[in-house]
Amino acid sequence: MSVVDFFAPLSFLLIAGFAALILLLMSIRVANQYERSVVFRLGRFNRTAGPGLYLVWPVIEWQDKLDLRTITANVEQQEGITRDNVPIKVDAVVWYRIVDAERAVIEVKAVSNAVVQVSLTTLRAVLGQHTLDEILKAQDTIADVMQRAIDATTEPWGVKVELVQMKSVEIPPSMQRALAQEAEALREKRARLIKAEAELDAAEQLRQAAEVIMQNPAGLELRRMQMITEVGAEQNTMTLVMMPSEFVSMARGISDAAKVMAAKG
């Protein structure tokens, strides 16, 4: 046996081992904690791999890697007509995450784009179902309605919509002026109501004070003296002379008697 014949089988084993080592190294994949890989073997779903190390055999297997973290997607501005026929422009933000990597790959193509498109159509539909006042005053409620509607559509895709928020609402300038006038009128109305309530409370207090004074007439004289003291403390040139109401009644009686005498004469 020659030397070549002796080493030929060894060379074959060495080459085969080296090829197997290269194949193994080419098959090693790594997925982060927040990633999952959907592995297909000869076109059929085989398994979901990750996180950490796993093998994907070349030629017969391939993978689609997905991020399971919450994704923030901007919904571009949409123009629509509210239920009360007001043109309005609204844009929103959607937060979602993939909860089932297998369905996110198999059930829909380009899952991120699909979620955004569903959000666009849902936002446009919601605008037509509410009035302008509802959109401006109940944005959280409308956002919850959108979140449930989008989540119902994306649930078969293995996607969970966690939150929807309306980012900005634009209305025509003429409508902005009308809303400003309405707000000013409401503030004026509230101010007048508060003033009227204050006057009513003051009148009620005066009525109660009058009842107390009627029960004790001496209190009226004390009040007159107090008013004189308050006027004097202000250091003005005005002089007030407080007269009892009996003097006023007597003067009125004398005047009436004089008129009667003059009529008889």
Side-chain angles (χ1 to χ4, degrees):
M1 180 182 292
S2 63
V3 177
V4 176
D5 294 335
F6 178 78
F7 283 102
L10 296 178
S11 300
F12 176 77
L13 292 176
L14 182 61
I15 293 173
F18 184 72
L21 178 61
I22 293 176
L23 180 64
L24 179 63
L25 293 176
M26 292 176 60
S27 303
I28 295 176
R29 299 290 187 273
V30 177
N32 294 320
Q33 182 67 37
Y34 54 83
E35 294 177 326
R36 296 295 184 274
S37 293
V38 180
V39 181
F40 294 88
R41 178 176 296 172
L42 298 177
R44 296 177 62 87
F45 171 76
N46 182 260
R47 66 189 183 280
T48 300
L53 290 172
Y54 59 95
L55 299 177
V56 176
W57 302 110
V59 181
I60 65 171
E61 290 186 343
W62 53 89
Q63 68 172 356
D64 285 334
K65 186 178 289 187
L66 298 177
D67 194 324
L68 302 187
R69 292 177 294 184
T70 298
I71 299 173
T72 303
N74 289 320
V75 181
E76 64 184 20
Q77 191 176 73
Q78 295 296 301
E79 184 174 359
I81 303 296
T82 62
R83 195 174 65 187
D84 51 351
N85 298 321
V86 177
I88 191 173
K89 296 180 180 179
V90 179
D91 55 356
V93 183
V94 178
W95 287 266
Y96 70 93
R97 61 185 177 90
I98 297 173
V99 296
D100 191 331
E102 177 186 349
R103 287 190 292 168
V105 173
I106 296 176
E107 299 296 335
V108 63
K109 182 178 180 180
V111 62
S112 297
N113 182 64
V115 173
V116 172
Q117 294 304 316
V118 170
S119 302
L120 284 173
T121 56
T122 303
L123 176 59
R124 191 180 298 112
V126 167
L127 292 180
Q129 297 173 0
H130 295 82
T131 64
L132 178 61
D133 287 342
E134 292 173 347
I135 294 175
L136 295 177
K137 298 177 182 179
Q139 293 188 14
D140 291 340
T141 302
I142 297 176
D144 290 339
V145 172
M146 290 180 57
Q147 186 267 332
R148 291 192 295 269
I150 299 172
D151 189 59
T153 304
T154 60
E155 191 275 334
W157 305 341
V159 175
K160 173 63 179 177
V161 178
E162 297 179 332
L163 182 65
V164 176
Q165 288 292 330
M166 301 173 66
K167 187 164 61 173
S168 65
V169 178
E170 294 184 10
I171 58 178
S174 59
M175 186 59 63
Q176 294 180 13
R177 291 191 294 269
L179 290 175
Q181 294 174 356
E182 180 182 358
E184 183 178 358
L186 289 175
R187 286 194 296 269
E188 183 177 356
K189 175 184 177 181
R190 186 162 53 248
R192 291 185 177 182
L193 289 175
I194 294 174
K195 184 178 179 180
E197 291 177 357
E199 291 178 354
L200 178 62
D201 292 342
E204 178 65 22
Q205 295 295 327
L206 288 175
R207 184 187 65 81
Q208 295 179 5
E211 291 178 354
V212 173
I213 291 175
M214 289 176 62
Q215 294 174 2
N216 189 1
L220 181 60
E221 298 300 327
L222 294 176
R223 180 56 183 157
R224 290 195 183 101
M225 295 177 62
Q226 183 180 5
M227 291 180 61
I228 294 174
T229 303
E230 292 175 354
V231 171
E234 296 179 359
Q235 298 180 358
N236 52 33
T237 58
M238 183 181 296
T239 302
L240 296 178
V241 177
M242 305 297 294
M243 298 180 63
S245 58
E246 289 81 1
F247 288 175
V248 177
S249 300
M250 183 178 65
R252 184 180 296 111
I254 295 173
S255 177
D256 294 340
K259 291 179 180 179
V260 172
M261 293 295 293
K264 291 181 178 180

